[in-house]
Structure formats: structure tokens, C-alpha cells
Amino acid sequence: MNKINQIWKKLKYWQIGGIIGLIFGLIVMNGYMSPFMTIFVALPYLILATLLWILNALPSDPLGPEGLAAIAIILSPLFYTVLGILMGIIVGKIKKKQQKQK
């Protein structure tokens, strides 16, 4: 446990954010049947649907939304990993700016 703490302290903020985002995305992917977890699948679903709408590639078949939801569930770990990395970069920049001011 001590070695894990040492490794964790050496990580940069974006790496920590990516790990936390990946773990959260895996929890969302595995727990999507819970009514509470469907809220967290909605964000990747909306981004995927918007992206496909911009590319004019939305499916026209009636089973399209379910297919998009399945893709959003599968891609949720990747989505939340990227979101965690971006949040880690922002936190790192803020911390760096605060240290320079002191």
C-alpha cells in the first residue's frame, strides 16, 4: 500500500484525472442498468448523437437510438477518461499559477 501511495504522489494531475475518469467510466459502463447510472450515459450519448448529426451520419432505421445508446455505453470509459484528463490539465494549470503567485 505504501508503494501505491508513492507512485500516486509522483503522478501528474492529468494522469490522476485520467485514472479517476477511467475508473468512473468503467463503473458507468457496468452499472448502466441502474436508473441513477443512466444519467451518466446520457452525456456520451448526446455528444455521440451531436457528432453524428454534424457529420450527417445519423442512422435512419428505427433501432438507431438503441444502437447509439449501446455505443455510448461502450465508449463511456474512453469519454470519461478524456474528460478526467482535461479536468486534470485544468487543475494542474491552476495549481501551477497559484504556486507562481506565492
Side-chain angles (χ1 to χ4, degrees):
M1 191 68 169
N2 197 13
K3 186 161 179 116
I4 293 173
N5 287 338
Q6 290 174 350
I7 293 172
W8 187 259
K9 288 180 182 179
K10 290 180 184 178
L11 294 176
K12 297 176 182 165
Y13 287 108
W14 68 269
Q15 293 169 329
I16 293 171
I19 291 170
I20 293 171
L22 176 65
I23 292 169
F24 183 76
L26 290 172
I27 291 170
V28 168
M29 187 174 86
N30 289 326
Y32 72 94
M33 295 302 282
S34 165
F36 178 71
M37 285 301 184
T38 55
I39 295 169
F40 296 108
V41 175
L43 188 59
Y45 175 80
L46 290 173
I47 291 175
L48 181 64
T50 304
L51 181 66
L52 291 175
W53 177 71
I54 290 170
L55 296 174
N56 200 18
L58 278 173
S60 60
D61 62 336
L63 297 177
E66 288 83 6
L68 287 179
I71 292 171
I73 290 167
I74 292 170
L75 291 180
S76 63
L78 177 66
F79 173 77
Y80 284 109
T81 300
V82 171
L83 189 65
I85 289 171
L86 291 175
M87 290 173 68
I89 289 172
I90 292 169
V91 168
K93 297 272 185 194
I94 292 170
K95 293 275 187 175
K96 192 180 217 183
K97 192 173 184 179
Q98 287 177 349
Q99 287 176 353
K100 284 184 180 180
Q101 289 177 353
K102 288 184 179 181

